[in-house]
Amino acid sequence: MRLMRFPAGLLAGLSLTVLSGAAVAAQPGTVTVDSAGVVRYIEKGQPPVVIHLTVEQAQSRRAAQGNHGSHGKPGGGSQTNDLIYNGGTGGVGVETAPAIYLVLWGSQWNNNDPSGEAGILESFLGSMGGSKWLNTVTQYCQKVSSGTIYCNGAGTPAGNQSGMLVNFWYDNGSAAPARPKQSDFAAEAVRAASHFGNTAAGSNDSTQYVIATATGNNSSGFGRQYCAYHSYTTSSYGDVAYTNLPYITDAGASCGANFNGLGADAGITIVEGHEAAETITDQFPSGGWLDSGGSEIGDKCAWISSGQGASADVSLGGNTYPVQSLWSNAFNGGAGGCVLSY
Ligand SMILES: [Zn+2]
């Protein structure tokens, strides 16, 4: 059933739209923002990406949807908003023991990190495993039938063990492309797999590479059309999952600076927390857990400013980080909702 909601003609149209403008940094509209969801094809020959909407996009989309996709209002037991398993990609749907590698990509990082994003990311990714905040992911599993909503102990659940940041790498011997494309991130993820020795069959099934670009060195469309995205690439080391994580503070309030009064750096951990949780529950998009509209565990709860599921500071490993809530199918009597702990 997966991808049935994306007619082939529509996908071809999106690809052409993107390719025609992909190299032009200042041109809006390189990613078609529409009601078809956040799973997008943005480069010919590449798997889909799942984009993280900007603050403005997410809030206008939520307003347009009214109570559909509501983030925790009384649901009367309906499961129509819940995440559904899509059967996996090559049998893999979730990360059963998440292993995260952070890559600070390019010599542009050298003596050039005005917001201290590298240190914040290392600390945050090193602290979130085992937390109540991330524990929502353990509701979701793989090796169950497509269409499953509740694993109920069947299959193998997504993991939430401590110490999931395995290592980080300043890949700064040469410059990254000035405006990296999806295929550039894919190639860097494969280089990272090689660098870290994850080259054996299956060694990337529960692994994600967070490819962080330096300030001023972000991909086209960042801050207007998305704050980040995650995807995967095929390789001789198996399928490899990665996130394109721009230098978040470059986008200011559009990607979370001072969101909900949480500070100028709030977007760094809000956005990466969203991406990490989504990769854990949809390892190789879109074979994992998405709702009927194509939104993932983070998308459904992005940029909520008040009420149930509003972004807030949480304590992870003794430090405090701003995060967004995550979608829990179990909340609200099975109607689901956005929660900060599970
Ligand atoms: Zn997302």
Side-chain angles (χ1 to χ4, degrees):
M1 66 177 273
R2 78 186 176 91
L3 294 182
M4 281 184 63
R5 57 185 173 267
F6 304 115
L10 173 62
L11 295 183
L14 290 176
S15 298
L16 288 172
T17 299
V18 170
L19 289 170
S20 63
V24 183
Q27 180 179 328
T30 53
V31 176
T32 302
V33 177
D34 53 30
S35 60
V38 292
V39 180
R40 310 283 171 81
Y41 285 81
I42 64 169
E43 184 175 334
K44 188 176 182 181
Q46 294 289 317
V49 303
V50 188
I51 64 167
H52 183 321
L53 297 176
T54 65
V55 171
E56 296 85 355
Q57 290 171 333
Q59 292 186 340
S60 64
R61 188 170 186 246
R62 189 166 286 125
Q65 288 174 332
N67 284 333
H68 295 287
S70 69
H71 42 270
K73 296 184 175 70
S78 168
Q79 300 171 353
T80 55
N81 278 325
D82 279 344
L83 300 178
I84 305 162
Y85 189 53
N86 282 269
T89 299
V92 176
V94 304
E95 295 183 358
T96 57
I100 302 179
Y101 295 84
L102 174 63
V103 178
L104 293 313
W105 185 25
S107 55
Q108 292 95 331
W109 277 100
N110 294 337
N111 301 309
N112 186 35
D113 185 1
S115 299
E117 298 204 10
I120 291 170
L121 289 167
E122 289 163 21
S123 170
F124 173 67
L125 291 170
S127 300
M128 68 183 191
S131 69
K132 292 276 193 188
W133 169 71
L134 190 59
N135 206 44
T136 299
V137 303
T138 63
Q139 292 177 45
Y140 309 110
C141 65
Q142 62 186 21
K143 302 198 186 305
V144 293
S145 302
S146 290
T148 295
I149 297 176
Y150 297 105
C151 294
N152 287 329
T156 309
N160 179 28
Q161 85 282 5
S162 62
M164 61 178 65
L165 177 63
V166 180
N167 211 335
F168 61 91
W169 177 31
Y170 275 92
D171 181 16
N172 55 6
S174 61
R179 292 279 174 269
K181 301 191 305 291
Q182 184 185 356
S183 51
D184 296 322
F185 287 98
E188 179 66 3
V190 174
R191 284 191 290 273
S194 174
H195 173 80
F196 291 114
N198 295 328
T199 57
S203 60
N204 291 293
D205 284 355
S206 187
T207 296
Q208 58 176 280
Y209 301 91
V210 179
I211 312 296
T213 49
T215 181
N217 182 207
N218 306 306
S219 53
S220 175
F222 165 61
R224 289 191 321 275
Q225 295 160 338
Y226 56 82
C227 292
Y229 61 71
H230 75 101
S231 185
Y232 76 101
T233 185
T234 56
S235 83
S236 56
Y237 316 139
D239 289 346
V240 174
Y242 65 89
T243 292
N244 163 12
L245 187 69
Y247 199 85
I248 294 296
T249 51
D250 283 357
S254 292
C255 293
N258 297 307
F259 189 74
N260 276 9
L262 295 169
D265 294 336
I268 302 166
T269 51
I270 289 174
V271 173
E272 174 46 26
H274 169 130
E275 294 301 311
E278 290 191 338
T279 307
I280 290 169
T281 53
D282 187 18
Q283 168 75 341
F284 303 133
S286 51
W289 290 79
L290 302 91
D291 73 8
S292 60
S295 291
E296 298 181 329
I297 189 172
D299 303 316
K300 294 172 67 61
C301 305
W303 307 125
I304 298 173
S305 55
S306 64
Q308 176 65 36
S311 295
D313 281 326
V314 298
S315 180
L316 305 175
N319 293 311
T320 297
Y321 303 90
V323 295
Q324 69 157 72
S325 57
L326 301 174
W327 183 268
S328 167
N329 280 357
F331 185 68
N332 199 13
C338 295
V339 301
L340 285 166
S341 69
Y342 175 73

